[in-house]
Amino acid sequence: MIVLAAVRRIAVSVVLALLIGLISFSVMYFSPGNPAAMLLHYRNPTGGLNQQTVEAYAERLGTNQSFFAQFGDWLTGALKGDLGQSFKTGLPVLQEFTDRMWCTFGLMLYATVLALTVGVALGALSARYHNRLLDQIVRHLVVVNMSVPSFCLGLLFMWVFAIELKLFPSFGYDGAWSLILPGTVLGIGYSGTIVRMTKSSMMDNLGSPYVVTARAKGLTEGAILTRHVLKNVSLPIITLSGMNAVSLLGGSVIIENIFGLPGLGNYLITAIKMKDFPVIIGFVFLMGLMVIAINLLIDMLYALIDPRVRLAANEN
Amino acid sequence: MARGVEPVLDLVDLNVHFESRDGKVNAVCHANLTIGKGQVLGLIGETGCGKSVLGQSVLRLLPASARMSGRILFQGTDILALPQSEVRKIRGQLIAFICQNPAEALNPVLRNGTQIMESVKINRKLPRRERRDACLDLLRSLRFTDPEFCMRSYPLQLSGGMKQRVLAAMGMSGRPSLLIADEPTKGLDALVRGHVIATLERFMEATSSSALVITHDLRFASRICDSIAVMYAGEIVERGPFDEVFGHPRHPYLQALIDSQPDRGLHVLKGSTCSLIDLPPHCRFYDRCPKAVQGCREAHPETVFVNSDHEVRCLRIA
Amino acid sequence: MRTNRNRLIAVSVVFLALLVPVVFSSCIFPHGNDLDMNDVLRAPSSRHWFGTDNLGRDLLERSFNGLRLSLGLALSIQVICICLGAVVGSVAGYYGGVVDRVYVLVQNVVMSFPSLIASLCLIAMLGTGIRTLVLALVVVEWVTYARLIRSEVITLKESDYIQGCRAIGASNARILSRHILPNVVGPVIPIFTLMIGHTVLAISGLGFLGFGVQPPTAEIGLMINDGVTYLTRAFWMVFCPAAVLVLYAVVMNVFGDELREWFNPQRENVVL
């Protein structure tokens, strides 16, 4: 039944999460440099590296154990919610994550809503006025949109709206208003693919036999759009939004960096530059969990709308 | 057909062309058709001859790139001259249309019941509670053994024949005077052909409608049609009562079509249809015609009457 | 068809013309790294079309130098990805079984994780520099080709003429290399062009964050990053190199789209 399919899906997700944890852990494990020495350096930047102290630290951190022992330690900790402490601040990694995740979530949510609104609207209009002036203009705009990297657009918007026009803050986080400009940049960047997908999906659906049947029944064009076409058109857009949401996590890194927002991406960059390993491993793992959660959500939404997926799952 | 009685459908010099990137596609040229009350007209032709376009044009179901001219007289009213809102009133209510390829003609993400109820809601003014019963009755009349299951399930859970019957049920919900069935046997096994015939007969019995049946299946046509019209490259090349036309086929294309049937020896007609964009000025069948003469290349044939109601478009007959 | 071909030719000509100053930029623009402390932060003028940066370097010359580097790197990365993707994708698609399932798992893991973050972590682990940059981008992008080639191989291997090859006793390796892979080239070419543009943008993104090409080498993302500090005083430091980057990305995307249209034309919905 559906329950069985869901359970199987969750099991697969757990395996994936473990895999991501393993990969990120091994990446850090095999990277050059001695974590114990680094931690010591953090605590006492000016002092020298006493070999005994380094070994004592290594003992405490457990970094002189084998790979699997260390991974085991980390994993048991992770399952309990303890992802270690940041080298730099000493605070629990999990706390650093939760402190910052709302900022990033807010940014991602706003960007997604904006991208969908703009993308679906322009895509639907392009389908309606196919090959006319509006469609040509939108098509060219989309090509330009997909060629402008997010940091260029971000800097342009920052310069025009924040610095020259002084409408928005250009740096730092001061409540939701600070998210508007960066969120808009991010959202616009991702709307290009949505425009294209919406247009092609609408044109495919509007030309299909079930629409002819619906018209032959005597339905108005409006009723056909809302009651018949909408659900079918939204299916590929939902899948695309899922993929976009995952990309957005990466895209937010650059935007947070430019606008100085205290989000996950910005902190990760700092951690990478400072070689703050517990943070890097922990953040990558947690972001992996986020990605898995997003994918699960998208799949559930898709199955809700499309009975073919639900019933095929039954048969399996 | 009794003269003096207004025909249900009368196509007068119907032309349909499409604007496409490669040029003007002439799908239907100078088509003239008449269907009387209670009659079944079969529109025969190979893939791409324009018969589906003609069928869809009656209810103006073609895409926006289509341009139509001529007259489509339904019970005396010219459908082409009506505003969109009036055409919508005719659709489903007075003329029923069953799409080809039942597998794709139903919306895959909506339940069958929702889609049937939609038809019933538009075509019958019934309070909500009675609508569901009306749907179940319709399904029962089409020999559904478990109409409840059909209502709450999705199209993918039904077989091809069942989907066909669901489409028929939607068409029957009004009281149509005309049924247009586009390739009703396409995508269905030959075994199911009998069921399709039964479905169509039940439909016409229940609604006392006439029918325009579009098909390439001659055997199917022979069992159900009173009169036939044969299309080739967008033109109607032969027309008349079924027995007369089939008994004495005059156009070489129809003769070749009949000869190509399995029970007549499967004599294949070589070549393929001419392009609908670059139409030849002479007879469109000339390149493939086994009986062509020099004169056939010089002029475009018009229709001539062989009998009182048997027409042919062929220069050799003129 | 005719309009398609004319458009493709026109776009190709423009593309090749624009490539000339980039490819030959070491000859045409040799002064990209020349410092001139008397000439810092000058606005665009007839002497310096794009102005100068905080170390007096001509931005026009630097932009093209940087673009040349990025383009060269992007090309190498794509070539490596195609080779890797072709081998893995065709083997997984053709032989199926366990190999295929393992590949699909790897593909899902790679594709489901944000690519920028994955590249960053790899660079974090291995240190900055051109070699790690190339590796980081290859690891993230090879899956695009593997996925495409695998699905093409799966479709092709069931086709009649391949069955025919098997019937006359051709070995699997021969079938793969001689018969299947040449047919995969068609869909790959437009993707290749589009991916080059995508990779150039990725390189500049990493450069902007400080994880890509390192100073003093000219690279557009790096230049833009330097320019941010001077955004209020000398905005041309940011926007002139950015304009060059966007222009070339647009041209590459348009070229890639035209190629894709040429190889798989999208037919209009005409009812017949």
Side-chain angles (χ1 to χ4, degrees), chain B residues 250-282:
Chain B
R250 304 300 289 261
H251 196 279
Y253 175 65
L254 181 58
Q255 291 166 350
L257 207 57
I258 295 175
D259 281 339
S260 71
Q261 294 298 293
D263 52 342
R264 300 276 190 121
L266 262 183
H267 301 285
V268 171
L269 179 64
K270 293 203 184 15
S272 56
T273 326
C274 56
S275 154
L276 293 175
I277 298 178
D278 302 314
L279 285 168
H282 51 251

Short mmCIF file of all heavy atoms in Angstrom, two decimals, chain B residues 250-282:
data_model
loop_
_atom_site.label_atom_id
_atom_site.label_comp_id
_atom_site.label_asym_id
_atom_site.label_seq_id
_atom_site.Cartn_x
_atom_site.Cartn_y
_atom_site.Cartn_z
N ARG B 250 -16.24 3.65 -57.91
CA ARG B 250 -15.85 4.24 -59.19
C ARG B 250 -14.49 4.90 -59.11
O ARG B 250 -13.74 4.91 -60.07
CB ARG B 250 -16.89 5.29 -59.63
CG ARG B 250 -18.29 4.73 -59.72
CD ARG B 250 -18.37 3.60 -60.72
NE ARG B 250 -18.24 4.14 -62.07
CZ ARG B 250 -19.27 4.36 -62.88
NH1 ARG B 250 -20.49 4.12 -62.46
NH2 ARG B 250 -19.08 4.86 -64.07
N HIS B 251 -14.16 5.50 -57.96
CA HIS B 251 -12.87 6.18 -57.88
C HIS B 251 -11.76 5.16 -57.71
O HIS B 251 -11.86 4.25 -56.89
CB HIS B 251 -12.87 7.17 -56.71
CG HIS B 251 -11.76 8.17 -56.77
ND1 HIS B 251 -10.47 7.88 -56.36
CD2 HIS B 251 -11.74 9.45 -57.20
CE1 HIS B 251 -9.71 8.95 -56.54
NE2 HIS B 251 -10.45 9.92 -57.04
N PRO B 252 -10.66 5.31 -58.47
CA PRO B 252 -9.56 4.34 -58.39
C PRO B 252 -9.00 4.19 -56.97
O PRO B 252 -8.54 3.12 -56.59
CB PRO B 252 -8.50 4.91 -59.33
CG PRO B 252 -9.25 5.78 -60.27
CD PRO B 252 -10.43 6.32 -59.53
N TYR B 253 -9.04 5.27 -56.19
CA TYR B 253 -8.51 5.17 -54.83
C TYR B 253 -9.36 4.21 -54.01
O TYR B 253 -8.84 3.34 -53.30
CB TYR B 253 -8.46 6.56 -54.17
CG TYR B 253 -8.04 6.51 -52.72
CD1 TYR B 253 -6.77 6.09 -52.37
CD2 TYR B 253 -8.93 6.84 -51.71
CE1 TYR B 253 -6.38 6.03 -51.04
CE2 TYR B 253 -8.54 6.78 -50.38
CZ TYR B 253 -7.27 6.37 -50.05
OH TYR B 253 -6.89 6.29 -48.75
N LEU B 254 -10.67 4.36 -54.10
CA LEU B 254 -11.54 3.47 -53.33
C LEU B 254 -11.39 2.03 -53.80
O LEU B 254 -11.36 1.09 -53.00
CB LEU B 254 -13.00 3.94 -53.43
CG LEU B 254 -14.00 3.08 -52.65
CD1 LEU B 254 -13.62 3.05 -51.17
CD2 LEU B 254 -15.42 3.62 -52.82
N GLN B 255 -11.27 1.90 -55.11
CA GLN B 255 -11.08 0.54 -55.63
C GLN B 255 -9.81 -0.08 -55.08
O GLN B 255 -9.80 -1.23 -54.65
CB GLN B 255 -11.02 0.58 -57.17
CG GLN B 255 -12.35 0.95 -57.79
CD GLN B 255 -12.21 1.32 -59.26
OE1 GLN B 255 -11.09 1.49 -59.76
NE2 GLN B 255 -13.33 1.44 -59.95
N ALA B 256 -8.73 0.72 -55.06
CA ALA B 256 -7.47 0.21 -54.52
C ALA B 256 -7.60 -0.09 -53.04
O ALA B 256 -7.05 -1.08 -52.53
CB ALA B 256 -6.36 1.23 -54.75
N LEU B 257 -8.34 0.76 -52.33
CA LEU B 257 -8.54 0.57 -50.89
C LEU B 257 -9.25 -0.76 -50.62
O LEU B 257 -8.86 -1.53 -49.74
CB LEU B 257 -9.38 1.73 -50.35
CG LEU B 257 -9.20 2.12 -48.88
CD1 LEU B 257 -7.77 2.48 -48.61
CD2 LEU B 257 -10.10 3.31 -48.58
N ILE B 258 -10.27 -1.02 -51.40
CA ILE B 258 -11.01 -2.27 -51.21
C ILE B 258 -10.13 -3.46 -51.56
O ILE B 258 -10.12 -4.47 -50.85
CB ILE B 258 -12.29 -2.26 -52.07
CG1 ILE B 258 -13.23 -1.15 -51.59
CG2 ILE B 258 -12.99 -3.62 -52.02
CD1 ILE B 258 -14.46 -0.99 -52.45
N ASP B 259 -9.37 -3.32 -52.63
CA ASP B 259 -8.49 -4.43 -53.03
C ASP B 259 -7.40 -4.71 -52.01
O ASP B 259 -6.86 -5.81 -51.96
CB ASP B 259 -7.82 -4.11 -54.38
CG ASP B 259 -8.77 -4.35 -55.52
OD1 ASP B 259 -9.74 -5.11 -55.32
OD2 ASP B 259 -8.55 -3.78 -56.59
N SER B 260 -7.06 -3.68 -51.22
CA SER B 260 -5.97 -3.87 -50.28
C SER B 260 -6.41 -4.58 -49.01
O SER B 260 -5.60 -4.87 -48.14
CB SER B 260 -5.34 -2.53 -49.92
OG SER B 260 -6.24 -1.80 -49.11
N GLN B 261 -7.70 -4.86 -48.89
CA GLN B 261 -8.19 -5.56 -47.71
C GLN B 261 -7.66 -6.98 -47.68
O GLN B 261 -7.44 -7.58 -48.73
CB GLN B 261 -9.73 -5.59 -47.72
CG GLN B 261 -10.36 -4.23 -47.58
CD GLN B 261 -9.99 -3.59 -46.28
OE1 GLN B 261 -10.38 -4.04 -45.22
NE2 GLN B 261 -9.21 -2.53 -46.35
N PRO B 262 -7.45 -7.53 -46.49
CA PRO B 262 -6.91 -8.89 -46.40
C PRO B 262 -7.74 -9.93 -47.13
O PRO B 262 -7.21 -10.81 -47.78
CB PRO B 262 -6.90 -9.17 -44.89
CG PRO B 262 -6.88 -7.85 -44.26
CD PRO B 262 -7.57 -6.89 -45.19
N ASP B 263 -9.08 -9.77 -47.09
CA ASP B 263 -9.90 -10.81 -47.71
C ASP B 263 -10.03 -10.64 -49.22
O ASP B 263 -10.62 -11.47 -49.88
CB ASP B 263 -11.29 -10.85 -47.05
CG ASP B 263 -11.93 -9.47 -47.03
OD1 ASP B 263 -11.20 -8.48 -47.20
OD2 ASP B 263 -13.15 -9.39 -46.83
N ARG B 264 -9.46 -9.54 -49.73
CA ARG B 264 -9.51 -9.40 -51.19
C ARG B 264 -8.14 -9.62 -51.80
O ARG B 264 -7.93 -9.41 -52.98
CB ARG B 264 -9.95 -7.98 -51.58
CG ARG B 264 -11.30 -7.60 -51.09
CD ARG B 264 -12.41 -8.08 -52.01
NE ARG B 264 -13.68 -7.50 -51.61
CZ ARG B 264 -14.44 -6.74 -52.38
NH1 ARG B 264 -14.06 -6.46 -53.60
NH2 ARG B 264 -15.56 -6.24 -51.92
N GLY B 265 -7.16 -9.95 -50.97
CA GLY B 265 -5.87 -10.28 -51.53
C GLY B 265 -4.73 -9.36 -51.11
O GLY B 265 -3.59 -9.56 -51.52
N LEU B 266 -4.99 -8.36 -50.30
CA LEU B 266 -3.92 -7.49 -49.77
C LEU B 266 -3.05 -6.87 -50.87
O LEU B 266 -1.84 -6.87 -50.79
CB LEU B 266 -2.99 -8.30 -48.84
CG LEU B 266 -3.23 -8.19 -47.33
CD1 LEU B 266 -2.18 -8.99 -46.59
CD2 LEU B 266 -3.21 -6.76 -46.87
N HIS B 267 -3.71 -6.38 -51.93
CA HIS B 267 -2.93 -5.74 -53.00
C HIS B 267 -2.58 -4.33 -52.56
O HIS B 267 -3.43 -3.47 -52.44
CB HIS B 267 -3.76 -5.66 -54.29
CG HIS B 267 -4.19 -7.01 -54.76
ND1 HIS B 267 -3.33 -7.89 -55.37
CD2 HIS B 267 -5.38 -7.64 -54.70
CE1 HIS B 267 -3.97 -9.01 -55.67
NE2 HIS B 267 -5.23 -8.88 -55.27
N VAL B 268 -1.28 -4.13 -52.31
CA VAL B 268 -0.87 -2.85 -51.73
C VAL B 268 -0.82 -1.76 -52.78
O VAL B 268 -0.37 -1.98 -53.90
CB VAL B 268 0.53 -3.03 -51.08
CG1 VAL B 268 1.10 -1.70 -50.67
CG2 VAL B 268 0.42 -3.96 -49.89
N LEU B 269 -1.27 -0.58 -52.38
CA LEU B 269 -1.19 0.57 -53.28
C LEU B 269 0.14 1.27 -53.02
O LEU B 269 0.41 1.70 -51.91
CB LEU B 269 -2.36 1.52 -52.99
CG LEU B 269 -2.40 2.80 -53.83
CD1 LEU B 269 -2.62 2.45 -55.30
CD2 LEU B 269 -3.52 3.70 -53.34
N LYS B 270 0.93 1.41 -54.05
CA LYS B 270 2.27 1.96 -53.84
C LYS B 270 2.25 3.48 -53.70
O LYS B 270 1.30 4.15 -54.10
CB LYS B 270 3.17 1.60 -55.04
CG LYS B 270 3.46 0.11 -55.14
CD LYS B 270 4.73 -0.14 -55.92
CE LYS B 270 5.02 -1.62 -56.15
NZ LYS B 270 3.98 -2.59 -55.92
N GLY B 271 3.35 4.00 -53.15
CA GLY B 271 3.50 5.45 -53.07
C GLY B 271 2.89 6.03 -51.81
O GLY B 271 2.38 5.31 -50.95
N SER B 272 2.95 7.34 -51.70
CA SER B 272 2.35 7.99 -50.53
C SER B 272 1.65 9.27 -50.96
O SER B 272 1.85 9.75 -52.08
CB SER B 272 3.41 8.30 -49.47
OG SER B 272 4.42 9.07 -50.05
N THR B 273 0.84 9.80 -50.04
CA THR B 273 0.03 10.97 -50.37
C THR B 273 0.90 12.16 -50.73
O THR B 273 2.01 12.32 -50.23
CB THR B 273 -0.81 11.38 -49.14
OG1 THR B 273 -1.16 10.21 -48.45
CG2 THR B 273 -2.04 12.13 -49.57
N CYS B 274 0.39 13.04 -51.58
CA CYS B 274 1.13 14.26 -51.93
C CYS B 274 1.16 15.18 -50.72
O CYS B 274 0.38 15.03 -49.79
CB CYS B 274 0.46 14.97 -53.11
SG CYS B 274 -1.27 15.37 -52.81
N SER B 275 2.08 16.14 -50.74
CA SER B 275 2.20 17.08 -49.63
C SER B 275 0.98 17.99 -49.60
O SER B 275 0.46 18.41 -50.63
CB SER B 275 3.46 17.92 -49.83
OG SER B 275 3.32 19.15 -49.20
N LEU B 276 0.52 18.32 -48.40
CA LEU B 276 -0.65 19.19 -48.28
C LEU B 276 -0.26 20.66 -48.35
O LEU B 276 -1.11 21.55 -48.25
CB LEU B 276 -1.40 18.91 -46.97
CG LEU B 276 -2.05 17.53 -46.92
CD1 LEU B 276 -2.66 17.30 -45.55
CD2 LEU B 276 -3.14 17.43 -47.97
N ILE B 277 1.05 20.91 -48.47
CA ILE B 277 1.48 22.31 -48.57
C ILE B 277 1.68 22.68 -50.03
O ILE B 277 1.19 23.71 -50.50
CB ILE B 277 2.79 22.53 -47.78
CG1 ILE B 277 2.55 22.22 -46.30
CG2 ILE B 277 3.29 23.95 -47.94
CD1 ILE B 277 3.77 22.34 -45.44
N ASP B 278 2.39 21.83 -50.74
CA ASP B 278 2.60 22.09 -52.18
C ASP B 278 1.64 21.21 -52.95
O ASP B 278 2.01 20.13 -53.40
CB ASP B 278 4.03 21.76 -52.58
CG ASP B 278 5.03 22.55 -51.76
OD1 ASP B 278 4.81 23.77 -51.64
OD2 ASP B 278 5.99 21.95 -51.28
N LEU B 279 0.40 21.65 -53.08
CA LEU B 279 -0.60 20.82 -53.75
C LEU B 279 -0.44 20.90 -55.26
O LEU B 279 -0.20 21.98 -55.81
CB LEU B 279 -2.00 21.28 -53.36
CG LEU B 279 -2.44 20.88 -51.96
CD1 LEU B 279 -3.70 21.62 -51.59
CD2 LEU B 279 -2.67 19.38 -51.88
N PRO B 280 -0.55 19.76 -55.92
CA PRO B 280 -0.49 19.82 -57.39
C PRO B 280 -1.77 20.44 -57.94
O PRO B 280 -2.84 20.27 -57.35
CB PRO B 280 -0.37 18.34 -57.80
CG PRO B 280 -0.98 17.59 -56.68
CD PRO B 280 -0.77 18.39 -55.44
N PRO B 281 -1.67 21.13 -59.06
CA PRO B 281 -2.86 21.77 -59.63
C PRO B 281 -3.80 20.76 -60.28
O PRO B 281 -4.96 21.04 -60.51
CB PRO B 281 -2.30 22.73 -60.67
CG PRO B 281 -0.98 22.14 -61.04
CD PRO B 281 -0.45 21.44 -59.83
N HIS B 282 -3.28 19.56 -60.59
CA HIS B 282 -4.11 18.56 -61.25
C HIS B 282 -4.70 17.63 -60.21
O HIS B 282 -4.69 17.93 -59.02
CB HIS B 282 -3.29 17.78 -62.29
CG HIS B 282 -2.01 17.25 -61.71
ND1 HIS B 282 -0.78 17.76 -62.04
CD2 HIS B 282 -1.76 16.27 -60.84
CE1 HIS B 282 0.17 17.11 -61.40
NE2 HIS B 282 -0.39 16.20 -60.65
#
